[in-house]
């Protein structure tokens, strides 16, 4: 497919245009040959401008003088020689690209700033961004067969992209079709970015210079390597950074204009956003915008900062006199056409702007830190909003519960008032019934008294039968009334009992809470009392066991001290009576006295200084002591035998 071209007049003028003012600062370090080449380019541009002015003058006056024809033909002759030199130069640059990038970088930069010839832009732009041999080029045809979710958006914006340019005019024009293809293919390659407004103008400019496959490769490289991808992301974080850096440069170099903008609430994003997103393609006419794009392809976004600040410097005096609406109109109508006749002046002004890459890096770090802090604050705000929403929901729930409790309380109070009123009515009815019962009882007593009188007077023959029947009738009526009264009384008593039960089932809220507290205290005290009782039982058991052991020991000692039953004939050894060896008065008369004396093993040894065998004798006495009451003399002899043997020995 043949690459579309600009109109002949604009392309020839732009391709050969060069600054008429002094060269930029980098040209001071060039060699003499390079300076001579630049001088030739300047001369070519001067002749081109002179020829253009003379042509406009002839067309305006419609005069055809001989001197004008001679001047025009002379200028055209010189111009043709310079065009030939320019073609040779850029053809050599394209063929020896790597050598020029390594050894003649400064000269190449100056040549690019003076403008790339129109017919060389396609190859030079591809060489500048290293897009000549990209693997994605082979995928282009396959991408066109796929469908993209951004197709509707792309179709909508295509008609608004370069609507006055011949290549893109018409709904079914070739320009619109290839523009749609490139934008659709990129939306499939980079799904995170997809499609963003403004990118179509960059692709459209590329399609004016080269086929769609090559334009697609160049656009992919621009998005990846020239910060454009960050600009066109949905968050547009890079655009915010560019606006922040541009505001800093404006405040530093044009403080009065910055103050005026702030006073009129004329924010930087209102006029500078399109500069960064479309690289001035929607601001300047194509010849001027293409010159800026040439420099962008070599130096990146720096030229956007420089050109933007140069425009503000040139128009500072006029902008200071306008309000916000006037400034908006001025940016739309005046500024775009100020450099139509001489784009080199714009480039010269741009490179007179102070631009410090180190300071821009520092501003980038500051912006990143500021955004990080803002992100943290947003996260905190989001968290607080979530907590606030939850608290509101909790408050609403509590309010509903409170309203429900209030309704229940009011309903309970109403019910209690109704029951109190019913109770009062029943009590009044009960009082009436009791009064009626008392009256009936009195009537009954009177009737019974009358009956007794009648019974007493029954024997009186003077009473007639009529009087007796009358009395019997009154008696029956009295009994009926008494029965009815008793039935009513029982019914009222049942009602009173029922009301008292119902009234007792509705305890007072304060009394219920107090009873609950008292119940809890009683349960605690009951638990403590149970624990204390259990401990006292254990202590009592231990004491009982201890005293039982001591009592058994003391009883054993008492039985030991009492000895065997008394003998009839006391044994005599060496004229001494064994029975009287212990004085009768010296023995205790009872167990209590024995325990009071505290007889022990030491007293036994003092009274009976016996040998170990004698001690065994007294220990054997303990066993028969338990049944001493039923023991016989033979048993005593058996027990005394070992003792007597011991004495004989």
């Amino acid at each position: 497919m043949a690459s579309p071209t600009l109109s002949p007049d604009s392309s020839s003028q732009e391709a050969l245009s060069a600054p008429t003012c002094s060269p930029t600062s980098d040209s001071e370090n060039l060699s003499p040959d390079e300076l001579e080449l630049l001088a030739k380019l300047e001369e070519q541009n001067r002749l081109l401008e002179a020829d253009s002015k003379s042509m406009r003058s002839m067309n305006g006056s419609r005069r055809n003088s001989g001197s004008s024809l001679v001047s025009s033909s002379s200028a055209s002759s010189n111009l043709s020689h310079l065009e030939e030199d320019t073609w040779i130069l850029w053809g050599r640059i394209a063929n020896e690209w790597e050598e020029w990038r390594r050894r003649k970088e400064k000269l190449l930069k100056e040549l690019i700033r003076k403008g790339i010839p129109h017919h060389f832009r396609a190859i030079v732009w591809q060489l500048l961004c290293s897009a000549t041999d990209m693997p994605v080029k082979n995928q282009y045809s396959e991408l066109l067969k796929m469908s993209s979710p951004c197709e509707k958006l792309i179709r909508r914006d295509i008609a608004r992209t370069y609507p006055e340019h011949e290549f893109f005019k018409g709904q079914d024009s070739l320009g619109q079709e290839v523009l749609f293809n490139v934008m659709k293919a990129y939306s499939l390659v980079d799904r995170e970015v997809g499609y963003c407004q403004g990118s179509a103008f960059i692709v459209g400019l590329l399609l004016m210079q080269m086929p769609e496959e090559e334009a697609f490769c160049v656009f992919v490289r621009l998005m990846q390597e020239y910060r454009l991808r960050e600009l066109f992301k949905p968050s547009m974080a890079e655009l915010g950074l560019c606006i922040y850096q541009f505001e800093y440069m404006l405040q530093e170099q044009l403080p009065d204009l910055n103050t005026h903008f702030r006073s009129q609430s004329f924010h930087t994003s209102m006029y500078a956003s399109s500069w960064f997103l479309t690289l001035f393609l929607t601001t300047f006419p194509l010849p001027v915008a293409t010159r800026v794009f040439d420099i962008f392809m070599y130096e990146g976004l720096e030229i956007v900062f420089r050109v933007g600040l140069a425009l503000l410097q040139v128009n500072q005096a006029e902008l200071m006199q306008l309000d916000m609406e006037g400034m908006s109109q001025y940016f739309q109508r005046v500024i775009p056409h100020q450099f139509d006749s001489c784009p080199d002046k714009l480039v010269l002004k741009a490179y007179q702007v102070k631009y410090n890459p180190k300071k821009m890096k520092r501003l980038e770090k500051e912006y990143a830190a500021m955004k990080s802090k803002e992100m943290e604050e947003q996260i905190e705000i989001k968290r607080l909003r979530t907590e606030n929403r939850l608290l509101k929901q909790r408050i609403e729930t509590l309010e509903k519960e409170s309203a429900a409790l209030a309704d229940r309380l009011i309903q309970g109070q109403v019910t209690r008032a109704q029951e109190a009123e019913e109770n009062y009515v029943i009590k009044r009815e009960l009082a009436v019934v009791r009064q009626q019962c008392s009256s009936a009882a009195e009537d009954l007593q009177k009737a019974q008294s009358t009956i007794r009188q009648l019974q007493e007077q029954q024997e009186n023959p003077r009473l007639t039968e009529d009087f007796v029947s009358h009395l019997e009738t009154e008696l029956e009526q009295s009994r009926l009334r008494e029965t009815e009264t008793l039935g009513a009384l029982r019914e009222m008593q049942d009602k009173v009992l029922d009301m008292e039960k119902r009234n007792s089932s509705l305890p007072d809220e304060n009394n219920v809470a107090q009873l609950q507290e008292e119940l809890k205290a009683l349960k605690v005290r009951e638990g403590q009392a149970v624990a204390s009782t259990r401990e006292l039982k254990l202590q009592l058991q231990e004491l009982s066991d201890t005293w039982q052991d001591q009592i058994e020991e003391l009883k054993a000692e008492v039985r030991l001290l009492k000895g065997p039953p008394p003998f009839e004939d006391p044994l005599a050894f060496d004229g001494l009576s064994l029975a009287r060896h212990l004085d009768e008065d010296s023995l205790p008369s009872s167990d209590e006295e024995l325990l009071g004396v505290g007889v022990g093993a030491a007293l036994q040894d003092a009274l009976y200084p016996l040998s170990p065998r004698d001690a065994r004798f007294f220990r054997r006495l303990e066993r028969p002591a338990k049944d001493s009451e039923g023991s016989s003399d033979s048993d005593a002899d058996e027990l005394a035998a070992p003792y007597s043997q011991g004495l004989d020995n």
Side-chain angles (χ1 to χ4, degrees):
M1 167 182 161
S3 61
T5 59
L6 297 173
S7 60
D9 293 339
S10 63
S11 63
S12 61
Q13 180 179 353
E14 185 183 357
L16 301 175
S17 61
T20 58
C21 307
S22 59
T24 56
S25 58
D26 291 341
S27 62
E28 298 176 356
N29 300 324
L30 298 177
S31 63
D33 295 338
E34 294 171 346
L35 290 174
E36 182 180 358
L37 179 59
L38 290 176
K40 287 182 179 180
L41 290 174
E42 291 176 2
E43 179 66 18
Q44 176 183 351
N45 185 65
R46 186 183 63 77
L47 292 175
L48 181 61
E49 286 187 2
D51 184 58
S52 177
K53 289 179 181 178
S54 63
M55 292 294 291
R56 287 196 299 270
S57 176
M58 285 188 297
N59 292 333
S61 60
R62 296 185 181 275
R63 289 181 297 177
N64 201 7
S65 61
S67 59
S68 297
L69 289 174
V70 172
S71 175
S72 176
S73 62
S74 176
S76 298
S77 177
N78 293 331
L79 183 61
S80 64
H81 290 294
L82 290 174
E83 283 181 350
E84 184 178 355
D85 294 340
T86 303
W87 274 75
I88 294 172
L89 173 63
W90 279 101
R92 189 174 61 186
I93 291 173
N95 292 328
E96 302 172 359
W97 179 255
E98 295 299 330
E99 183 178 355
W100 276 78
R101 288 296 297 266
R102 289 196 308 268
R103 300 182 180 180
K104 300 179 181 181
E105 184 178 1
K106 294 180 181 179
L107 177 59
L108 180 61
K109 182 186 294 185
E110 287 296 325
L111 292 174
I112 291 173
R113 288 178 181 178
K114 296 179 187 304
I116 302 173
H118 172 71
H119 297 288
F120 284 93
R121 278 203 173 100
I123 184 62
V124 173
W125 283 358
Q126 294 181 60
L127 292 171
L128 283 172
C129 66
S130 303
T132 53
D133 297 319
M134 291 184 64
V136 73
K137 186 176 182 180
N138 301 326
Q139 304 175 8
Y140 183 74
S141 59
E142 297 297 329
L143 292 172
L144 296 181
K145 299 176 183 178
M146 302 169 62
S147 61
S148 171
C150 304
E151 291 184 10
K152 291 184 180 180
L153 295 176
I154 298 172
R155 289 288 186 191
R156 183 193 64 188
D157 291 341
I158 278 180
R160 296 182 287 184
T161 305
Y162 300 115
E164 301 300 327
H165 198 280
E166 291 295 333
F167 186 55
F168 297 100
K169 273 187 178 180
Q171 185 175 0
D172 298 327
S173 63
L174 178 62
Q176 289 192 11
E177 188 63 29
V178 294
L179 178 59
F180 174 80
N181 291 339
V182 174
M183 298 308 302
K184 171 187 172 182
Y186 185 79
S187 68
L188 293 170
V189 170
D190 190 352
R191 294 184 180 272
E192 182 181 1
V193 175
Y195 168 74
C196 181
Q197 290 181 344
S199 59
F201 287 94
I202 299 175
V203 176
L205 180 64
L206 297 176
L207 290 171
M208 295 177 194
Q209 315 297 329
M210 61 191 76
E212 60 180 298
E213 294 87 350
E214 297 174 358
F216 173 69
C217 295
V218 173
F219 183 65
V220 171
R221 184 66 69 183
L222 291 178
M223 294 291 285
Q224 293 176 350
E225 304 295 337
Y226 287 75
R227 297 170 62 184
L228 293 185
R229 185 176 185 275
E230 302 299 324
L231 280 172
F232 290 121
K233 275 185 177 181
S235 62
M236 289 190 172
E238 193 71 13
L239 178 61
L241 171 61
C242 293
I243 296 297
Y244 179 76
Q245 293 172 330
F246 190 82
E247 285 180 347
Y248 181 85
M249 294 178 65
L250 176 62
Q251 183 178 2
E252 184 180 41
Q253 301 184 32
L254 300 173
D256 296 337
L257 184 60
N258 181 59
T259 303
H260 178 66
F261 282 167
R262 290 180 180 274
S263 65
Q264 296 295 325
S265 299
F266 194 61
H267 302 291
T268 307
S269 58
M270 297 172 66
Y271 60 88
S273 296
S274 62
W275 295 352
F276 290 99
L277 291 174
T278 65
L279 307 175
F280 293 102
L281 293 174
T282 58
T283 303
F284 296 134
L286 276 175
V288 182
T290 310
R291 287 289 303 277
V292 176
F293 198 83
D294 288 340
I295 303 173
F296 168 77
M297 292 293 294
Y298 189 75
E299 301 182 25
L301 284 176
E302 177 182 340
I303 187 61
V304 181
F305 288 97
R306 288 184 177 275
V307 172
L309 207 60
L311 292 175
L312 297 180
Q313 287 177 345
V314 172
N315 298 278
Q316 180 178 5
E318 290 77 6
L319 291 171
M320 293 284 290
Q321 305 301 323
L322 301 174
D323 58 3
M324 185 176 70
E325 185 176 355
M327 286 187 290
S328 299
Q329 296 294 329
Y330 193 85
F331 271 93
Q332 293 176 6
R333 298 178 181 178
V334 179
I335 290 180
H337 302 285
Q338 286 181 329
F339 299 95
D340 290 357
S341 60
C342 187
D344 301 289
K345 291 182 180 179
L346 177 62
V347 176
L348 180 64
K349 290 288 185 182
Y351 281 95
Q352 290 175 352
V353 173
K354 296 178 181 179
Y355 183 88
N356 189 341
K358 293 183 179 179
K359 189 173 292 185
M360 301 298 279
K361 284 289 184 183
R362 179 176 60 81
L363 291 174
E364 183 177 354
K365 292 181 180 179
E366 289 180 2
Y367 183 79
M370 182 178 66
K371 283 297 178 182
S372 177
K373 186 176 180 181
E374 288 180 359
M375 185 64 67
E376 293 176 357
E377 291 176 354
Q378 289 177 359
I379 293 173
E380 181 66 18
I381 290 173
K382 187 176 180 180
R383 185 185 66 81
L384 292 175
R385 286 177 178 173
T386 303
E387 291 183 357
N388 191 21
R389 185 177 69 256
L390 295 175
L391 289 175
K392 285 183 178 179
Q393 293 176 356
R394 179 60 177 166
I395 289 172
E396 292 176 357
T397 303
L398 292 176
E399 287 178 351
K400 291 179 181 178
E401 293 178 356
S402 177
L405 290 174
D407 292 340
R408 289 175 59 188
L409 178 61
I410 293 172
Q411 187 66 30
Q413 291 176 351
V414 171
T415 304
R416 193 170 290 177
Q418 292 176 351
E419 292 176 351
E421 184 177 359
E422 292 178 0
N423 192 12
Y424 176 73
V425 172
I426 291 173
K427 285 182 178 179
R428 289 184 59 184
E429 293 178 356
L430 180 61
V432 173
V433 170
R434 285 177 178 173
Q435 186 176 3
Q436 293 177 356
C437 182
S438 176
S439 300
E442 291 178 357
D443 293 341
L444 181 61
Q445 289 179 359
K446 290 180 181 179
Q448 290 176 353
S449 175
T450 303
I451 290 172
R452 284 195 299 270
Q453 292 177 1
L454 291 174
Q455 289 177 354
E456 291 175 356
Q457 296 176 1
Q458 188 174 6
E459 297 177 357
N460 191 351
R462 292 178 296 180
L463 295 176
T464 63
E465 294 179 358
D466 295 334
F467 181 72
V468 172
S469 62
H470 175 70
L471 291 178
E472 289 178 352
T473 303
E474 288 185 356
L475 179 60
E476 290 177 358
Q477 292 177 355
S478 298
R479 287 178 177 175
L480 288 174
R481 287 196 298 270
E482 181 182 6
T483 304
E484 292 175 357
T485 303
L486 290 175
L489 179 61
R490 283 194 297 272
E491 183 179 357
M492 295 306 297
Q493 286 178 348
D494 293 339
K495 287 185 179 181
V496 169
L497 291 175
D498 183 43
M499 291 302 300
E500 288 178 353
K501 289 180 181 180
R502 290 172 59 187
N503 194 19
S504 62
S505 64
L506 296 172
D508 192 3
E509 295 180 358
N510 296 328
N511 293 336
V512 170
Q514 185 177 0
L515 290 174
Q516 289 178 350
E517 295 295 332
E518 292 179 359
L519 180 61
K520 291 180 181 178
L522 287 174
K523 288 183 178 180
V524 172
R525 289 197 295 270
E526 181 183 1
Q528 294 176 353
V530 170
S532 301
T533 304
R534 189 179 294 112
E535 292 178 359
L536 290 174
K537 286 182 178 180
L538 292 175
Q539 293 178 1
L540 181 62
Q541 185 65 31
E542 292 177 358
L543 289 174
S544 176
D545 295 341
T546 303
W547 280 106
Q548 189 68 29
D549 294 339
Q550 292 181 358
I551 290 171
E552 292 294 334
E553 291 178 358
L554 291 175
K555 285 182 177 181
E557 291 179 0
V558 168
R559 287 193 297 269
L560 181 63
L561 290 176
K562 282 184 177 182
F567 301 101
E568 294 179 358
D569 296 326
L571 298 176
F573 298 96
D574 298 331
L576 294 175
S577 176
L578 179 61
R580 293 182 177 87
H581 186 78
L582 292 176
D583 204 5
E584 292 180 359
D585 296 334
S586 64
L587 291 174
S589 61
S590 65
D591 292 345
E592 288 79 3
E593 292 180 3
L594 179 61
L595 292 174
V597 175
V599 178
L603 181 59
Q604 179 181 349
D605 294 337
L607 295 174
Y608 304 100
L610 304 175
S611 63
R613 294 178 61 186
D614 300 332
R616 287 196 299 270
F617 163 73
F618 283 102
R619 283 197 296 270
R620 292 182 63 185
L621 292 178
E622 294 179 2
R623 289 193 298 268
K626 293 181 181 180
D627 49 353
S628 58
E629 296 177 356
S631 62
S632 60
D633 294 338
S634 61
D635 294 334
D637 296 336
E638 289 177 3
L639 291 172
Y643 179 73
S644 61
Q645 291 176 2
L647 292 178
D648 295 336
N649 293 331

